[in-house]
Amino acid sequence: MKTSDFDYALPPEFIAQTPIEPRDHSRLMILDRNNGSLKHHRFFEIIDYLRAGDVLILNNSRVIPARLSARKVDGGSRLEVLLLRRLCPNIWETLVRPANRVSIGTKIEIANDSVTGDKPGLPVTAKAIGSNEGGEQVLSFSDETRLLELGQIPLPPYIQIPLLNPERYQTVYAQVAGSIAAPTAGLHFTPELMTKIEKKGVRCLSVTLHIGLDTFRPVRVENPIEHPIHQEYGIISQEVAEELAQAKTEGRRIICVGTTTVRLVEAAAQASSPARVAPFAGWVSLLIVPGHRFHIVDAMITNFHLPRSTTLMLTTAFAGRDLIHQAYQEAITQQYRFYSFGDAMLIF
């Protein structure tokens, strides 16, 4: 297995720059692993493939305003700071651009013009106190609460058109702040569709996995298992763990919305018993590639992923290389929309 096995050519015009309205009118490809068939639908028709007793697992993480405008206190050079993850109160792992302008001890002021209008009060300052091998800077901030007031929602680098409504990059069920990217498979759901799904007898359960930088980073090593995947913090409550265990015992399908929920429940299963999920709260660094044995997930909903990405590797591990290759070629032929604001697939 090589990273190049997960490469493909995508015409740039197929990268979705704006979301479809309404959310549930995006396209949906149905992949049947048993017979290898592909079918084309609209996302709201997913209800026809769900049945009473199914368990739908949702990632309720909410994207934080993690992109900040800043300047060096000494010299005033402009910087951009991306919050990656909170290490402890007021201490964050960040990505600073240009990176060569910041070293240990550099003092930074977060600009009040990070969003439209001025924010009153003392400026938020930061000091570089460390760095990591991947080029991330550890910053100590003077006021963490106001820090998030000054930020903007970070969009993926391949989206070039500004988003007029930042809430459109949140799922309708987002609750727990902590991600720097949306769990994009969930962007297709509307409140009305969620109501119809629940009325059909599908149990909707929420877990939390705060998405980090790795979702945008291509794998650069030839052997995927050598890729240094970033840790992401995840939570599965006692109640959800018990319901998942009961569903597995009763033979009911567990359907994950997005690769993030797949990683979380599979990591939790590895940390407890392969046949069930125990309550979980901790860092997740599970890299799923072909050859992984799935213990919990019976079906998954996901978008079309970047080449050479860990998300594409996970999807390939679940559906099989031949079926995913066929699906992606069909999606290009049928002019599906790709990536965060793109179309979706249901794999069962």
Side-chain angles (χ1 to χ4, degrees), residues 29-32 35-40 323 326-328 330-331:
M29 186 184 291
I30 305 293
L31 280 64
D32 187 331
N35 59 27
S37 66
L38 306 177
K39 296 180 181 180
H40 304 286
L323 184 56
Q326 180 185 356
Y328 272 62
E330 177 73 2

Side-chain angles (χ1 to χ4, degrees), residues 242-317:
E242 290 175 356
E243 291 204 44
L244 290 176
Q246 183 177 353
K248 292 303 289 185
T249 299
E250 296 173 354
R252 293 185 283 122
R253 293 192 304 177
I254 294 177
I255 304 169
C256 283
V257 179
T259 57
T260 58
T261 59
V262 173
R263 290 182 63 239
L264 176 56
V265 298
E266 289 294 316
Q270 285 190 355
S272 51
S273 164
R276 59 187 295 142
V277 172
F280 183 90
W283 294 101
V284 175
S285 57
L286 176 63
L287 175 64
I288 296 178
V289 297
H292 175 85
R293 181 182 176 188
F294 290 86
H295 298 288
I296 303 298
V297 185
D298 299 303
M300 66 179 293
I301 300 165
T302 187
N303 281 19
F304 292 87
H305 302 292
L306 288 98
R308 306 173 70 94
S309 63
T310 58
T311 47
L312 179 56
M313 293 175 186
L314 184 153
T315 306
T316 302

